[in-house]
Amino acid sequence: MIIDAWMQHGTVRFLNHEMLDSLWRWTGQEPPKEEVPVEVTVAAMDAGNIDVGLISAWYGPEGALVSNDEVAASVAAAPGRLRGVASVDLRKPMEAVRELRRCVTELGFVGLRVVPWLWELPPTDRRYYPLYAECVELGVPFCTQVGHTGPLRPSETGRPIPYVDQVALDFPDLVIVGGHIGYPWTEEMIAVCRKHPNVYIDTSAYTVRRYPPELVAYMKQDRRHKVMFGTNHPMISADRALKGLPELGLDDAAREAFLSGNARRVFFSGSGVGERVGVQ
């Protein structure tokens, strides 16, 4: 089984946003001019042998680029294949908490994602803290971005130390998933992951052959590594992201944890979430 921990089934307004121009340029693609059918995303998953994809909403200072209800509609169109990850408007903390609660309890979403560079607010900003408490109460992870930004926004908010480290100290029960590996601060991200039992890393936005050597060493040497697979679809396809996986030299246990075990533990085992969405 393979679970993709970071995907988007993007809207046209999201995929054509100017902040993503650099990503389209790097990948040699053009953003779509019409809404993409869910079947196209599922077909891309099939091509990469992905069983379950976690698709994320996107909220920023200008509002919803991919709304939670649009994510829910995509999930409903591909039952058993897609699962929703919520996002919220940080400008209205209590409304954000209520929206997160709605997404988990009514829509069956399995996590919250806030992208700090989109807000230019680090994860230690006070506006996140009510959401962290609610994630703990709901039994869902907080997913975020670590490392530099490919989009045309500042990178400072993606530093694992001090930001992720401090949040993990303040909320030891909060499960945190740092997406995009954390490069060029990969060693910092691994250190934070080893230090805090509830901090994880996902490899979205990187192909296997671009994983930093220190990340590969961690996955090979630590019997309980906390790295999970992600693509950042549609920027990187699953088949491309996984090409060369045998070259990493992972043993069977490390490979299983990477491809599905860690994601199952994080997204589908808390507070009955696994039973609600049917992932075993």
Side-chain angles (χ1 to χ4, degrees):
M1 183 180 197
I2 304 178
I3 298 173
D4 187 337
W6 187 322
M7 297 177 59
Q8 287 85 204
H9 180 73
T11 60
V12 167
R13 67 183 181 279
F14 168 68
L15 295 172
N16 284 270
H17 197 288
E18 53 84 19
M19 69 182 174
L20 300 181
D21 288 351
S22 58
L23 299 186
W24 293 118
R25 184 174 68 251
W26 291 345
T27 60
Q29 303 178 73
E30 291 289 334
K33 302 305 180 187
E34 299 180 351
E35 300 295 348
V36 178
V38 173
E39 292 78 10
V40 172
T41 293
V42 173
M45 293 167 58
D46 290 340
N49 297 312
I50 303 300
D51 296 281
V52 178
L54 307 184
I55 58 171
S56 179
W58 275 68
Y59 282 73
E62 60 204 271
L65 296 171
V66 184
S67 74
N68 291 312
D69 287 324
E70 286 170 321
V71 168
S74 297
V75 169
R81 301 301 304 279
L82 299 176
R83 295 291 181 266
V85 175
S87 191
V88 292
D89 189 340
L90 288 182
R91 296 171 299 181
K92 302 173 182 178
M94 284 312 303
E95 288 185 22
V97 167
R98 296 185 188 105
E99 175 66 359
L100 171 60
R101 190 179 303 140
R102 179 183 79 92
C103 288
V104 174
T105 61
E106 298 180 21
L107 302 181
F109 283 18
V110 296
L112 168 69
R113 175 168 289 121
V114 179
V115 181
W117 57 257
L118 195 56
W119 295 92
E120 297 191 28
L121 295 173
T124 50
D125 187 273
R126 66 187 186 279
R127 279 161 281 198
Y128 292 84
Y129 274 48
L131 292 163
Y132 297 152
E134 188 65 18
C135 281
V136 172
E137 291 300 310
L138 292 169
V140 297
F142 171 70
C143 306
T144 191
Q145 176 270 343
V146 290
H148 78 97
T149 60
L152 300 175
R153 293 293 188 274
S155 296
E156 169 64 24
T157 57
R159 296 192 72 104
I161 298 173
Y163 303 126
V164 176
D165 186 40
Q166 185 64 59
V167 172
L169 289 169
D170 291 342
F171 292 86
D173 295 332
L174 176 67
V175 178
I176 302 170
V177 182
H180 298 8
I181 290 177
Y183 180 84
W185 307 297
T186 310
E187 289 187 352
E188 285 188 15
M189 190 62 215
I190 293 169
V192 171
C193 190
R194 281 180 161 145
K195 176 180 178 179
H196 300 285
N198 288 325
V199 174
Y200 291 75
I201 301 168
D202 88 49
T203 62
S204 55
Y206 285 78
T207 62
V208 161
R209 288 173 173 166
R210 291 185 59 235
Y211 292 172
E214 55 268 36
L215 182 75
V216 177
Y218 168 55
M219 295 166 68
K220 292 172 68 173
Q221 296 167 9
D222 195 315
R223 294 179 60 190
R224 293 182 177 86
H225 79 74
K226 292 182 291 175
V227 182
M228 63 183 73
F229 172 70
T231 60
N232 199 31
H233 173 91
M235 303 306 178
I236 298 178
S237 64
D239 56 346
R240 181 181 167 216
L242 285 170
K243 188 176 182 180
L245 180 62
E247 298 169 15
L248 295 185
L250 303 179
D251 64 24
D252 290 345
R255 179 186 174 107
E256 189 277 337
F258 171 55
L259 293 179
S260 66
N262 286 333
R264 286 202 313 273
R265 185 178 307 110
V266 165
F267 292 101
F268 303 117
S269 65
S271 302
V273 171
E275 289 77 6
R276 284 204 301 276
V277 299
V279 173
Q280 303 298 322

